[in-house]
């Protein structure tokens, strides 16, 4: 399992995160940080976008566990964005766009971009447009 690459890890936990198995999700938090930044952000993405039946308190516990095990220049803004998703609140579109531009400085962190995108109510598509521009730059560089 330690030899698992980023894509294998992401596919393994995508839409099947073990929310009810504390030992297993704690292990995945640590494992994601050991694989890559994007893998770590995938764990946070799964935590923030948990199904409605996963209690807020459990999601917050997972968020704090993730925060305690991962150090990255984007951590503060991604945790703020994740917290907004968990709380069902939104960060302002302008702030989300600012955050996306900060994430853009760290190519390949698709899951950090995604967390920021889901943290705002982008009714005009401005955030989606910036998101897509960043993806294009990353994929064409």
């Amino acid at each position: 399992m330690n030899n698992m690459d980023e894509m294998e890890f992401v596919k393994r936990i995508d839409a099947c995160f073990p929310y009810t198995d504390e030992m297993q999700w704690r292990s995945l938090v640590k494992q994601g940080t050991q694989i890559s930044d994007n893998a770590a952000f995938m764990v946070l993405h799964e935590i923030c976008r948990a199904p409605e039946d996963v209690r807020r308190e459990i999601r917050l516990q997972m968020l704090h566990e993730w925060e305690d095990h991962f150090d990255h220049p984007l951590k503060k803004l991604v945790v703020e964005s994740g917290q907004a998703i968990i709380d069902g609140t939104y960060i302002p579109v302008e702030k989300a766009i600012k955050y996306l531009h900060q994430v853009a400085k760290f190519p390949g962190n698709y899951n950090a971009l995604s967390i920021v995108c889901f943290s705002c109510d982008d009714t005009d598509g401005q955030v989606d447009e910036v998101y897509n521009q960043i993806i294009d730059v990353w994929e064409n560089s």
Side-chain angles (χ1 to χ4, degrees), residues 6 22 43 46 77 83:
E6 179 182 295
E22 184 174 348
V43 172
E46 288 295 310
L77 73 87
Q83 180 86 44

Side-chain angles (χ1 to χ4, degrees), residues 3-136:
N3 295 330
M4 185 179 296
D5 75 4
E6 179 182 295
M7 289 309 298
E8 286 177 280
F9 181 78
V10 167
K11 286 178 186 174
R12 181 173 165 244
I13 68 170
D14 188 20
C16 57
F17 196 79
Y19 300 103
T20 59
D21 185 336
E22 184 174 348
M23 209 165 86
Q24 194 173 7
W25 66 250
R26 284 182 186 275
S27 174
L28 289 174
V29 165
K30 292 175 190 153
Q31 187 180 10
T33 63
Q34 295 166 354
I35 293 172
S36 70
D37 293 344
N38 192 49
F41 288 126
M42 180 61 181
V43 172
L44 183 60
H45 182 270
E46 288 295 310
I47 290 167
C48 298
R49 307 226 36 240
E52 291 293 321
D53 62 338
V54 179
R55 291 189 355 258
R56 178 180 178 273
E57 295 76 24
I58 298 296
R59 286 186 271 168
L60 289 175
Q61 180 185 6
M62 292 176 185
L63 174 96
H64 296 307
E65 179 77 11
W66 182 90
E67 189 176 15
D68 289 346
H69 284 89
F70 188 59
D71 193 28
H72 191 278
L74 296 173
K75 180 166 97 171
K76 185 177 181 198
L77 73 87
V78 176
V79 167
E80 179 186 344
S81 300
Q83 180 86 44
I85 296 168
I86 290 170
D87 290 343
T89 59
Y90 294 114
I91 64 171
V93 167
E94 301 76 28
K95 186 183 246 188
I97 290 171
K98 177 183 164 195
Y99 283 0
L100 288 175
H101 286 296
Q102 291 175 355
V103 175
K105 298 173 187 173
F106 298 89
N109 284 298
Y110 297 95
N111 291 303
L113 275 181
S114 183
I115 292 166
V116 173
C117 280
F118 284 111
S119 71
C120 71
D121 188 17
D122 181 30
T123 56
D124 296 332
Q126 295 172 304
V127 172
D128 283 342
E129 186 176 323
V130 173
Y131 172 90
N132 289 326
Q133 289 169 354
I134 292 168
I135 298 292
D136 286 344

